[in-house]
């Protein structure tokens, strides 16, 4: 109907050329109404955000006509155009058009995939899992998937296009212009003739055709593409049934304010301690162990005890089989555990993990990782003597001159002129958004490539965006496509918005991180990067941002070096060192204050980390807390990730214990330095509020582990109620000397002077100094306290045996209630 309407207008104007407007179309002109448009059904705005329609020259030449349809001859009359219209020449098969565009877009990706498959076949390696092809059975041929029959309002629709047929506006425009050009060539005066001549009328017709194409055709094509994209991705996401964890509440589109902290190059003792306690805290951090990674700080092998516990309960149950009495819950649980191969697998896995950590620590110590220089942060390189210095972020001018943007992939990270990382605002994806992105990208690419796209390219592109535009995932996709950013989805219509868009592009491309990312894209961008980015942008612009929300995480550390190899020293986790007793006092004070004034947050801050003294130290196992909330190094800026790039290990260096942060794998430019917080909560509210935003494929959904306290508390209440604990305390106070059994218990758990902390120091002796020997000793600890600690340790041994039974009993009871 639209083609017929346009054709009637053009044919009418050819007869009455005197009423044709000669002025070009302006942006304020209103387009003629279309009898049947997509916007009338979808209730779309006049201008849709899709921008895939290519601009066409105002007047088509003979060469462009040949490129459009080389086998056809230009029509000579309006009857020829009507005949072509009636024959279906101007019907566009949209599915074929989409398939051609898709094949053109994914051609390099398919060619590269085919080459890699051929190369692997020559090497005799299976492309799926890397195994030898000779050892593999022939891969079965997959059956073609049956097409889904979708119906909307009783009409069958294709899953990729809402309207399988459309108008071939480009071909219709080309034929009209070809007819007019032919008429102009037949006129002796050409286009310069006056009113009433053939050339003049043909020129007017071409001008009107251009007006129709600009006002009607382009809008119609945009609306059709928008409707097809929304139709395609709506069906796709409905089929995936995404039920992943999503960040709740109002969508925050602005970054969190930068955290202010005092920069430390060494750990400091917490404030508020007496001079004696401050010196004691300093002594607690000292060690005589050689410079090395110390492995697991606390280990207790209870494998034999667990097996004995299960066997004893199981044997009792077998003796009672002849009896009519039913088995107790503990007997059922023990019998189930004794037959469960998972228990043995868990014990073997724990033993292997312990051995693996020991081997890793020895290898890293022998490799001299602790002797390496720490990674340099661009933010810590700023001058400190300037009164009006600016905070270092990805827009700072001085940072642009700190590093040469032409860094190659073979550059050494030890270049003295280049920082290795930058601290800036970072953004993340929850599991719901990541799953939607994966679903859209996997439509054209394989799952492994989709994971690489999100983790290696999309997340860095999000973080390189200016802070006011990073929440819009379209901007990250445009950066990966090589397209300019815009301040809004609407077209730029005035000079001020054009300046804002230019400023946005300059802010990210001229920043330190932006230059490095552009160089990485230039040198090592995969062939499928632009195709995946286009597919994602097409999905966001058609479905809206609610399916693809990006959330701020705070401030993090972004890698600027081309490559950080595995087992590279990043930094040391520095902060204020708290003795365990002082940290307990601080936490109690915070809880009391928050309850009193009613300001308890949903989630606590995670700037504190446990520094555990290893059992192999002569002082035995001990515990200190490193708090980086107010005073810290740049290691406190690392965010959480369920698939981290770094880990934290206890190490001995220069006679002191420290927390070394090292890389777990090779880390590429643009990736964020992260580690797993490994935090546990007993609060269901905290667990549900702790939505993880790491955006990785292995994301657990929450950065907290949830552990219900019901079973723990039931075992404690049944076997060690408050009366029993007070009785143990009174019993310890009556003792004058330590029993041999108590001494053995302390030795088995590695409890020496460090476990008792300041109590093990003599308060009547002179203050210890850095040069004098420590004045701590186990004899300074009262007998009643050591005895009570032994009773607690023995209960812990019992709890480690009884807890699996209690957990399984609880699970059995829950299953019985459900049945």
């Amino acid at each position: 109907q639209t083609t017929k309407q346009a054709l009637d207008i053009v044919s009418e104007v050819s007869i009455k050329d005197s009423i044709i407007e000669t002025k070009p179309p302006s942006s304020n002109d209103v387009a003629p109404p279309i009898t049947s448009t997509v916007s009338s059904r979808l209730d779309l705005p006049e201008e849709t955000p899709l921008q895939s329609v290519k601009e066409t020259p105002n007047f088509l030449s003979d060469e462009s006509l040949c490129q459009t349809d080389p086998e056809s001859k230009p029509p000579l009359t309006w009857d020829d155009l009507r005949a072509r219209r009636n024959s279906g020449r101007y019907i566009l098969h949209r599915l074929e058009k989409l398939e051609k565009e898709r094949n053109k877009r994914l051609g390099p990706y398919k060619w590269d995939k085919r080459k890699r498959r051929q190369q692997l076949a020559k090497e005799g390696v299976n492309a799926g899992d890397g195994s030898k092809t000779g050892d593999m059975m022939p891969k079965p041929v997959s059956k073609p998937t049956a097409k889904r029959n979708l119906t909307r309002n009783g009409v069958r629709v294709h899953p990729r296009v809402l309207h399988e047929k459309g108008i071939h506006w480009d071909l219709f425009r080309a034929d009209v212009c070809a007819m007019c050009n032919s008429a102009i060539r037949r006129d002796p005066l050409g286009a310069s003739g006056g009113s009433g001549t053939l050339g003049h009328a043909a020129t007017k017709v071409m001008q009107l055709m251009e007006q129709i194409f600009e006002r009607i055709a382009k809008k119609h094509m945009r609306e059709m593409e928008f409707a097809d994209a929304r139709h395609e991705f709506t069906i796709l996401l409905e089929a995936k049934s995404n039920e992943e964890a999503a960040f709740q509440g109002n969508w925050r589109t602005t970054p969190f304010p930068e955290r202010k902290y005092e920069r430390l190059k060494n750990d400091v003792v917490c404030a508020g301690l007496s001079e004696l306690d401050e010196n004691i805290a300093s002594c607690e951090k000292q060690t005589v162990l050689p410079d090395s990674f110390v492995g697991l700080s606390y280990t207790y092998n209870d494998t034999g005890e667990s097996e004995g516990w299960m066997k004893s309960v199981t044997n009792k149950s077998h003796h009672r089989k002849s009896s009519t009495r039913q088995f107790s819950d503990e007997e059922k649980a023990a019998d189930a555990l004794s037959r469960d191969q998972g228990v043995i697998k868990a014990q073997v896995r724990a033993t292997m993990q312990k051995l693996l950590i020991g081997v890793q620590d020895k290898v890293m110590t022998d490799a001299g990782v602790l002797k390496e220089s720490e990674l340099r942060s661009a933010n810590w390189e700023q001058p400190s003597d300037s009164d009006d210095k600016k905070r270092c972020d990805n827009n700072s001018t001085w940072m642009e001159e700190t590093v040469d943007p032409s860094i190659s992939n073979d550059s050494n990270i030890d270049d003295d002129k280049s920082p290795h990382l930058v601290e800036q605002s970072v953004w993340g994806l929850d599991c719901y958004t990541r799953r939607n992105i994966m679903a859209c990208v996997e439509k054209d690419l394989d799952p492994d490539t989709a994971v690489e796209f999100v983790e290696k390219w999309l997340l860095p592109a999000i973080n390189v965006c200016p802070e006011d535009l990073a929440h819009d995932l379209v901007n990250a996709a445009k950066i990966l496509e090589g397209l300019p950013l815009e301040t809004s989805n609407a077209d730029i219509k005035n000079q001020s918005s054009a300046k804002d868009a230019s400023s946005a592009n300059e802010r990210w491309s001229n920043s330190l991180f932006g230059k490095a990312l552009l160089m990485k894209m230039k040198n090592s961008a995969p062939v499928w990067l632009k195709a995946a980015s286009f597919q994602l942008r097409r999905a966001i612009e058609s479905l809206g941002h609610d399916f693809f929300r990006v959330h701020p995480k705070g401030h993090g550390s972004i890698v600027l070096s081309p490559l950080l190899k595995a087992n590279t020293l990043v930094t040391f986790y520095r902060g204020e060192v708290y003795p365990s007793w002082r940290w307990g006092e601080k936490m109690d004070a915070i809880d009391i204050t928050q309850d009193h004034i009613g300001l308890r947050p949903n989630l606590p801050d995670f700037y504190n980390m446990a520094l555990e003294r290893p059992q192999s130290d002569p002082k035995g196992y001990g515990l200190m807390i490193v708090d980086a909330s107010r005073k810290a190094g740049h290691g406190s800026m690392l965010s959480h990730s369920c698939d981290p790039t770094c880990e934290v290990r206890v190490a001995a260096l220069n006679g002191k214990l420290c927390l070394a942060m090292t890389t777990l794998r090779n880390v590429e430019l643009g990736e964020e330095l992260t580690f797993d917080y490994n935090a546990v909560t007993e609060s269901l509210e905290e667990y549900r509020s702790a939505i993880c935003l790491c955006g990785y494929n292995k994301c657990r959904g929450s950065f907290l582990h949830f552990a219900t306290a019901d079973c723990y508390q039931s075992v404690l209440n049944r076997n060690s109620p408050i009366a029993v604990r007070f009785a143990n305390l009174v019993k310890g106070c009556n003792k004058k000397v330590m029993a041999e059994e108590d001494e053995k218990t302390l030795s088995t758990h590695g409890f020496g002077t460090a476990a008792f902390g300041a109590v093990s120091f003599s308060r009547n002796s002179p203050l210890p100094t850095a040069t004098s020997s420590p004045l701590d000793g186990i004899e300074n600890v009262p007998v009643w306290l050591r005895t009570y600690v032994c009773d607690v340790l023995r209960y812990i041994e019992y709890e480690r045996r009884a807890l699996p039974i209690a957990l399984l009993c609880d699970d059995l009871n829950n299953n019985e209630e459900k049945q």
Side-chain angles (χ1 to χ4, degrees):
Q1 293 296 329
T2 309
T3 309
K4 182 177 182 300
Q5 181 183 7
L7 190 58
D8 293 339
I9 294 175
V10 175
S11 59
E12 180 183 359
V13 169
S14 64
I15 300 174
K16 302 179 180 179
D17 62 309
S18 58
I19 63 172
I20 297 179
E21 296 181 355
T22 58
K23 67 175 183 177
S26 62
S27 59
N28 296 327
D29 292 335
V30 180
I34 302 177
T35 57
S36 177
T37 63
V38 183
S39 61
S40 61
R41 290 186 298 275
L42 297 181
D43 194 21
L44 300 176
E46 182 177 348
E47 292 294 337
T48 55
L50 274 183
Q51 302 170 357
S52 59
V53 180
K54 296 183 179 180
E55 297 293 336
T56 310
N58 289 335
F59 296 97
L60 296 177
S61 61
D62 294 337
E63 291 79 11
S64 60
L65 275 175
C66 294
Q67 293 176 2
T68 304
D69 194 359
E71 298 180 359
S72 65
K73 296 180 180 180
L76 299 179
T77 63
W78 293 106
D79 293 335
D80 294 341
L81 282 176
R82 289 190 175 91
R84 293 188 178 191
R85 183 200 67 190
N86 296 332
S87 65
R89 173 178 171 83
Y90 304 124
I91 294 178
L92 176 64
H93 297 279
R94 300 188 54 78
L95 186 60
E96 295 180 3
K97 176 176 178 290
L98 289 177
E99 286 298 330
K100 289 181 181 179
E101 293 176 351
R102 181 176 180 271
N103 293 333
K104 181 179 179 180
R105 192 167 59 248
L106 297 176
Y109 163 69
K110 294 181 179 179
W111 175 252
D112 181 70
K113 192 175 181 179
R114 189 180 302 112
K115 285 174 57 180
R116 284 185 294 166
R117 190 182 299 111
Q118 293 174 354
Q119 182 66 24
L120 292 175
K122 290 180 181 179
E123 298 174 358
V125 178
N126 186 273
D129 55 1
S131 58
K132 294 293 183 180
T133 55
D135 302 333
M136 298 294 295
M137 295 292 293
K139 188 175 181 180
V141 179
S142 59
K143 298 181 180 180
T145 305
K147 292 185 178 180
R148 300 173 57 192
N149 294 324
L150 303 175
T151 57
R152 295 288 174 89
N153 298 327
V155 181
R156 188 187 66 85
V157 295
H158 195 276
R160 292 201 63 183
V161 292
L162 185 62
H163 303 281
E164 297 188 30
K165 294 182 180 181
I167 303 171
H168 204 320
W169 283 102
D170 292 328
L171 188 57
F172 174 65
R173 177 195 186 197
D175 282 353
V176 173
C177 292
M179 181 187 68
C180 295
N181 286 329
S182 177
I184 292 175
R185 286 193 295 267
R186 295 196 304 269
D187 191 344
L189 299 179
S192 60
S195 177
T197 63
L198 182 61
H200 181 76
T203 302
K204 297 296 184 182
V205 169
M206 278 200 297
Q207 289 179 353
L208 181 60
M209 184 68 247
E210 291 302 321
Q211 293 182 23
I212 294 175
F213 189 82
E214 292 293 331
R215 296 181 182 180
I216 300 177
K218 284 188 175 181
K219 178 181 178 182
H220 184 259
M221 287 188 289
R222 284 197 301 267
E223 290 178 344
M224 293 289 284
E225 290 184 6
F226 185 89
D228 288 342
R230 195 169 80 166
H231 169 74
E232 175 185 356
F233 290 112
T234 299
I235 294 176
L236 179 65
L237 295 186
E238 287 178 353
K240 294 297 181 180
S241 63
N242 190 352
E243 297 180 356
E244 297 285 350
F247 202 91
Q248 302 298 318
N250 296 329
W251 182 21
R252 183 187 178 102
T253 59
T254 57
F256 290 103
E258 183 178 2
R259 182 173 69 96
K260 308 293 184 180
Y261 63 92
E262 181 181 342
R263 294 175 177 177
L264 296 178
K265 293 188 176 181
N266 294 291
D267 289 327
V268 296
V269 179
C270 64
L273 297 179
S274 64
E275 185 179 2
L276 175 61
D277 288 332
E278 185 175 346
N279 282 274
I280 291 175
S282 299
C283 292
E284 287 185 33
K285 196 182 175 187
Q286 296 176 2
T287 182
V288 296
L289 296 176
D291 294 351
S292 62
F293 292 93
V294 300
L296 292 176
S297 299
Y298 179 80
T299 57
Y300 178 72
N301 186 10
D302 60 351
T303 303
E305 297 179 1
S306 299
E307 291 177 352
W309 171 264
M310 288 187 293
K311 290 179 180 178
S312 62
V313 178
T314 305
N315 292 335
K316 292 179 182 179
S317 63
H318 285 314
H319 288 305
R320 296 170 182 171
K321 279 187 177 180
S322 58
S323 175
T324 58
R325 195 184 69 83
Q326 295 183 352
F327 294 137
S328 65
D329 290 340
E330 287 190 1
E331 291 170 347
K332 292 180 181 179
D335 187 62
L337 284 176
S338 63
R339 297 194 306 266
D340 188 8
Q341 296 295 326
V343 176
I344 300 177
K345 292 180 181 179
Q347 294 174 350
V348 173
R349 192 182 300 113
T351 303
M352 294 297 296
Q353 183 69 15
K354 178 181 177 181
L355 295 175
L356 178 62
I357 292 176
V359 172
Q360 289 176 341
D361 286 344
K362 188 177 187 307
V363 171
M364 294 174 64
T365 301
D366 295 342
V369 174
L370 290 174
K371 302 298 182 182
E372 296 177 359
S373 300
E374 300 179 45
L375 300 186
R376 293 182 297 275
S377 172
N379 305 68
W380 286 53
E381 299 291 334
Q382 70 179 96
S384 58
D385 55 351
S386 174
D387 295 333
D388 57 348
K389 62 183 178 181
K390 297 181 179 180
R391 299 298 299 175
C392 300
D393 53 17
N394 56 340
N395 302 324
S396 300
T397 305
W398 71 270
M399 291 169 59
E400 302 172 13
E401 304 172 355
T402 307
V403 65
D404 183 5
S406 60
I407 300 176
S408 65
N409 287 334
D410 298 331
S411 300
N412 193 332
I413 66 171
D414 292 330
D415 184 7
D416 293 336
K417 298 181 181 180
S418 304
H420 303 107
L421 54 94
V422 60
E423 300 173 27
Q424 65 166 63
S425 298
V426 290
W427 303 72
L429 309 173
D430 56 29
C431 291
Y432 179 79
T433 298
R434 176 185 54 79
R435 188 68 190 90
N436 288 336
I437 295 174
M438 294 285 292
C440 296
V441 177
E442 286 177 2
K443 188 171 181 63
D444 290 339
L445 307 178
D446 59 90
D448 293 338
T449 304
V451 171
E452 182 181 353
F453 167 72
V454 174
E455 297 180 357
K456 301 295 184 181
W457 295 98
L458 184 60
L459 290 176
I462 294 173
N463 288 325
V464 82
C465 289
E467 292 183 347
D468 54 335
L469 302 177
H471 68 280
D472 190 349
L473 200 55
V474 171
N475 294 318
K478 286 184 176 180
I479 288 177
L480 297 178
E481 288 185 82
L483 301 177
L485 303 183
E486 295 182 2
T487 55
S488 63
N489 290 328
D491 295 334
I492 300 175
K493 297 182 179 180
N494 53 58
Q495 187 175 2
S496 61
S497 59
K499 289 181 179 180
D500 293 339
S502 176
S503 174
N505 288 283
E506 291 177 356
R507 275 188 291 160
W508 83 263
S509 60
N510 292 332
S511 66
L512 186 63
F513 182 22
K515 290 180 179 179
L517 185 60
L518 284 174
M519 188 56 57
K520 178 184 178 182
M521 293 170 58
K522 178 180 179 182
N523 295 333
S524 58
V527 294
W528 44 260
L529 182 60
K530 290 187 177 181
S533 304
F534 172 79
Q535 181 79 342
L536 175 61
R537 180 169 62 88
R538 183 166 167 258
I540 301 172
E541 291 176 343
S542 58
L543 295 178
H545 292 82
D546 287 340
F547 295 93
F548 306 94
R549 290 186 176 183
V550 181
H551 304 276
K553 297 196 299 182
H555 278 64
S557 296
I558 305 294
V559 175
L560 296 179
S561 298
L563 180 66
L564 296 180
K565 294 183 179 181
N567 299 328
T568 298
L569 179 65
V570 176
T571 186
F572 296 97
Y573 195 86
R574 298 187 176 96
E576 297 180 277
V577 179
Y578 281 80
S580 56
W581 61 270
R582 183 65 175 181
W583 182 254
E585 289 181 348
K586 179 179 178 179
M587 291 296 99
D588 290 342
I590 291 176
D591 290 340
I592 294 173
T593 304
Q594 289 178 344
D595 292 338
H596 180 69
I597 61 179
L599 289 179
R600 181 174 292 278
N602 291 333
L603 287 173
D605 292 330
F606 293 92
Y607 291 115
N608 57 83
M609 194 174 297
L611 175 58
E612 296 179 297
R613 177 184 294 274
Q615 290 173 310
S616 57
D617 188 274
K619 294 184 178 182
Y621 176 80
L623 176 63
M624 292 170 286
I625 305 296
V626 180
D627 182 24
S629 58
R630 297 187 305 168
K631 303 177 182 179
H634 62 77
S636 65
M637 302 297 293
L638 271 63
S639 303
H640 163 83
S641 176
C642 302
D643 187 13
T645 58
C646 305
E647 66 176 347
V648 184
R649 294 175 179 264
V650 180
L653 183 62
N654 300 327
K656 294 184 178 181
L657 295 174
C658 59
L659 295 171
M661 310 184 79
T662 58
T663 55
L664 283 168
R665 55 175 174 82
N666 293 344
V667 186
E668 299 179 7
L669 187 151
E671 288 192 76
E672 187 180 357
L673 292 178
T674 57
F675 68 98
D676 193 339
Y677 286 175
N678 282 320
V680 181
T681 181
E682 298 177 357
S683 171
L684 186 60
E685 181 182 358
E686 283 189 358
Y687 175 75
R688 290 176 174 174
S689 301
I691 300 298
C692 181
L693 299 176
C694 69
Y696 277 77
N697 194 45
K698 296 181 180 180
C699 182
R700 301 187 297 264
S702 175
F703 58 82
L704 294 178
H705 295 276
F706 178 68
T708 175
D710 296 341
C711 293
Y712 294 89
Q713 194 65 36
S714 63
V715 174
L716 181 65
N717 294 337
R718 183 171 64 250
N719 300 285
S720 184
I722 188 67
V724 174
R725 280 175 274 171
F726 271 108
N728 291 335
L729 187 60
V730 174
K731 182 180 67 174
C733 293
N734 292 328
K735 282 194 175 183
K736 302 299 181 182
V737 294
M738 288 288 294
E740 183 178 352
E741 181 185 0
D742 294 342
E743 296 282 2
K744 183 179 179 181
T745 301
L746 290 177
S747 176
T748 302
H749 289 271
F751 272 44
T753 57
F756 295 95
V759 182
S760 63
F761 285 83
S762 175
R763 298 271 169 172
N764 299 325
S765 302
L767 295 178
T769 61
T771 57
S772 63
S773 59
L775 300 179
D776 57 337
I778 195 66
E779 64 277 359
N780 296 325
V781 182
V783 175
W784 67 265
L785 180 56
R786 284 182 279 169
T787 303
Y788 179 72
V789 170
C790 289
D791 290 334
V792 174
L793 291 176
R794 278 190 287 267
Y795 170 74
I796 292 176
E797 294 175 2
Y798 167 78
E799 187 182 53
R800 290 169 70 92
R801 298 191 303 265
L803 197 56
I805 305 295
L807 292 173
L808 192 55
C809 288
D810 184 67
D811 185 65
L812 292 174
N813 292 332
N814 291 336
N815 291 336
E816 291 177 358
E817 290 177 0
K818 290 180 180 179
Q819 292 176 359

